[in-house]
């Protein structure tokens, strides 16, 4: 439905001799997550099989579909999921003028709000006396997400997922303390509840119990789980494909719907940009510490106190290929609830094209200055150091 395989994921590729690990980081963003599936298709076709996938919200679902299946089945499972949760269109709306497309999409989004989305969630029937406020915290939401559990059980091979063929990390937040947490297949067995917890965005979706504690969507605190990859120890040279669903760059809004859409983009994308900047500063400082230690005379390098300080440094390089979904002119602030089959296919194709261009450019093959620990290749493939 959304593209065809052209190359087995085990094919060789020019990743560079210095790369020791490939990571894929997937942001949350509801129906926009089809863009990430398109990105993965391009990676798959060129043999870029990730060693580690980290995700939050819909990114957690995509990540689980990738890590929870053998390489030859991953694309099929992604297609099955996005086909199952998409809404069939009555006619070809791809060529409609902007205003008519917005009206059509608004009708579909309203249907999702009132009727739910097959394979993901259904409206919760409120208590006639207390509405949605009655009962335990686990049921205080507008929707019931048990259909998503059934979908995950049918499309994710949890035995495969927990064999550590591909590491999986899922971002969530503890309801009572507000503490972020990553569920990680390297340290625990992952089940459908961990994936659902990562996508339990209130007040629409209920918190999900994991080991007796309730968790919400990790996007409340950090919508892009980049830090779990970049802060991992021991550190190794990593090529990280970071796929965001909200773009910090966009035109000035000229109407209230455009204002709401632009506001959402900035709010979610700014966290990613800030996280990258902070990590660049921190990791470049680690490289500087290591460089200064190596510049010391031998007698100083044997000083136990200086050796201990040197351990704070590192010599690894983190190269981040940053891809972001760019909204269409007709999309509004509620585009992340637009599960129209046409919209899903358009986003999938855009992700595929963007990733294919990045892979063709191979910017990470260029030499990295010795004092730089983090290099970011943005969508236009300019280098930021």
């Amino acid at each position: 439905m959304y593209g065809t395989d052209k190359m087995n994921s085990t094919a060789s590729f020019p990743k560079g001799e210095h790369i020791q690990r490939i990571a894929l980081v997937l942001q949350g963003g509801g129906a926009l997550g089809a863009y990430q599936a398109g990105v993965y298709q391009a990676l798959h076709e060129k043999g870029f099989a990730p060693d580690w996938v980290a995700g939050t919200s819909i990114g957690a679902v995509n990540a689980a579909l990738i890590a929870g299946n053998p390489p030859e089945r991953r694309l099929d499972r992604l297609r099955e999921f996005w086909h199952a949760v998409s809404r069939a269109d009555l006619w070809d709306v791809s060529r409609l003028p902007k205003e008519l497309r917005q009206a059509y999409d608004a009708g579909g989004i309203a249907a999702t709000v009132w009727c739910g989305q097959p394979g993901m969630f259904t409206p919760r029937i409120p208590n006639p006396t207390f509405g949605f406020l009655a009962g335990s915290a686990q049921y205080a939401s507008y929707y019931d997400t048990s259909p998503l559990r059934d979908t995950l059980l049918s499309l994710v091979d949890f035995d495969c997922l927990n064999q550590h063929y591909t590491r999986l990390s899922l971002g969530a937040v503890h309801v009572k303390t507000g503490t972020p947490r990553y569920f990680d297949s390297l340290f625990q067995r992952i089940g459908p509840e961990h994936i659902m917890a990562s996508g339990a965005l209130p007040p629409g979706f209920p918190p999900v119990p994991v080991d007796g504690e309730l968790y919400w969507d990790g996007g409340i605190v950090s919508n892009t789980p980049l830090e779990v990859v970049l802060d991992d120890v021991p550190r190794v040279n990593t090529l990280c494909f970071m796929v965001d669903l909200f773009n910090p760059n966009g035109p000035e809004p000229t109407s209230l719907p455009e204002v709401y859409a632009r506001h959402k983009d900035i709010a979610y994308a700014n966290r990613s940009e800030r996280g990258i900047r902070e990590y660049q500063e921190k990791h470049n400082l680690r490289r500087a510490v290591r460089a200064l230690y190596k510049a010391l005379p031998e007698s100083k390098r044997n000083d136990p106190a200086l050796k201990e300080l040197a351990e704070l440094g590192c010599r690894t390089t983190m190269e981040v290929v940053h891809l972001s979904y760019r909204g269409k002119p007709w999309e509004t602030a509620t585009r992340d609830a637009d599960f129209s089959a046409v919209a899903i296919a358009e986003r999938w194709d855009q992700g595929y094209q963007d990733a294919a261009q990045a892979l063709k450019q191979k910017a990470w093959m260029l030499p990295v200055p010795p004092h730089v620990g983090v290099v970011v290749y943005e969508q236009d493939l300019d280098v930021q150091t």
Side-chain angles (χ1 to χ4, degrees):
M1 180 180 180
Y2 306 115
T4 56
D5 298 334
K6 297 180 182 176
M7 184 181 297
N8 187 281
S9 63
T10 59
S12 61
F13 57 90
K15 67 178 182 179
E17 292 298 323
H18 63 293
I19 299 297
Q20 297 170 275
R21 177 173 65 195
I22 296 176
L24 179 60
V25 172
L26 305 176
Q27 188 183 68
L32 305 181
Y35 175 83
Q36 297 170 342
V39 169
Y40 176 76
Q41 181 185 348
L43 297 178
H44 175 86
E45 290 178 358
K46 295 301 182 182
F48 283 71
D51 304 293
W52 189 356
V53 189
T56 297
S57 199
I58 195 63
V61 175
N62 283 329
L65 291 167
I66 294 168
N69 285 288
E72 66 273 12
R73 294 183 184 174
R74 291 172 176 175
L75 265 182
D76 287 339
R77 292 295 182 260
L78 284 167
R79 292 190 187 103
E80 288 178 50
F81 172 78
W82 285 101
H83 176 71
V85 302
S86 64
R87 185 186 71 257
D89 295 296
L90 300 177
W91 60 84
D92 182 8
V93 300
S94 61
R95 299 183 183 278
L96 288 178
K98 174 181 175 180
E99 292 75 13
L100 291 178
R101 181 67 185 271
Q102 284 181 332
Y104 178 85
D105 290 348
I109 293 168
T112 296
V113 171
W114 288 104
C115 303
Q117 197 62 35
M120 293 188 74
F121 55 91
T122 57
R124 190 182 296 284
I125 300 175
N127 180 292
T129 304
F130 298 102
F132 295 95
L133 304 179
S136 68
Q138 190 175 340
Y139 298 97
S141 66
Y142 292 114
Y143 299 99
D144 174 9
T145 55
S146 57
L148 177 58
R149 180 182 181 86
D150 295 336
T151 299
L152 293 172
L153 288 172
S154 67
L155 296 179
V156 177
D157 183 339
F158 285 94
D159 289 332
C160 174
L161 190 159
N162 288 289
Q163 287 175 356
H164 303 159
Y165 184 85
T166 299
R167 183 176 175 183
L168 175 67
S169 298
L170 307 170
V173 60
H174 189 246
V175 171
K176 287 193 291 187
T177 65
T179 304
R181 176 177 176 181
Y182 284 100
F183 304 119
D184 198 313
S185 64
L186 188 63
F187 306 111
Q188 65 190 117
R189 182 173 178 83
I190 298 295
E193 67 276 11
H194 299 93
I195 307 166
M196 295 175 66
S198 182
L201 183 64
F205 300 154
V208 177
V210 177
D211 298 328
E213 298 290 335
L214 292 178
Y215 290 87
W216 269 331
D217 191 314
I220 296 174
V221 176
S222 176
N223 200 37
T224 304
L226 181 65
E227 65 273 10
V228 70
V229 173
L230 298 186
D231 281 333
D232 185 54
V233 289
R235 298 182 182 89
V236 300
N237 293 338
T238 300
L239 174 61
C240 177
F241 293 91
M242 174 180 169
V243 189
D244 283 354
L245 301 178
F246 298 93
N247 199 315
N249 300 307
E252 294 179 350
T254 58
S255 66
L256 282 178
E258 291 178 359
V259 168
Y260 285 119
R262 190 77 196 101
H263 172 266
K264 182 178 283 189
D265 270 338
I266 293 172
Y268 282 111
N270 185 54
R271 299 180 192 177
S272 295
E273 297 294 319
R274 185 169 61 248
I276 289 176
R277 288 196 301 271
E278 290 175 354
Y279 192 84
Q280 282 180 308
E281 293 173 1
K282 183 167 60 175
H283 201 67
N284 288 345
L285 181 59
R286 292 189 185 115
R287 289 290 292 263
V289 168
R290 190 73 186 180
L292 287 171
Y293 176 75
K294 290 182 66 176
L296 292 173
E298 188 71 27
S299 58
K300 293 291 186 181
R301 275 186 274 167
N302 291 328
D303 186 316
L306 292 177
K307 278 188 173 183
E308 185 175 350
L309 286 174
E311 291 301 315
L312 298 175
C314 71
R315 59 173 65 90
T316 58
T317 301
M318 305 293 181
E319 299 184 74
V320 180
V321 179
H322 187 196
L323 302 173
S324 297
Y325 174 71
R326 288 156 289 143
K328 304 292 191 288
W330 57 84
E331 290 182 324
T332 65
T334 54
R335 60 192 180 277
D336 49 348
D338 179 9
F339 287 87
S340 159
V342 169
I344 296 299
E346 289 170 341
R347 293 160 187 161
W348 184 301
D349 183 65
Q350 183 179 324
Y352 179 84
Q353 298 299 332
D354 287 351
Q357 177 61 29
L359 295 176
K360 181 180 179 180
Q361 187 77 16
K362 299 193 292 279
W364 56 89
M365 297 290 290
L366 299 173
V368 177
H371 66 283
V372 174
V374 177
V375 185
V376 181
Y377 308 102
E378 292 292 349
Q379 195 112 346
D380 57 5
L381 303 185
D382 286 339
V383 179
Q384 295 184 355
T385 58

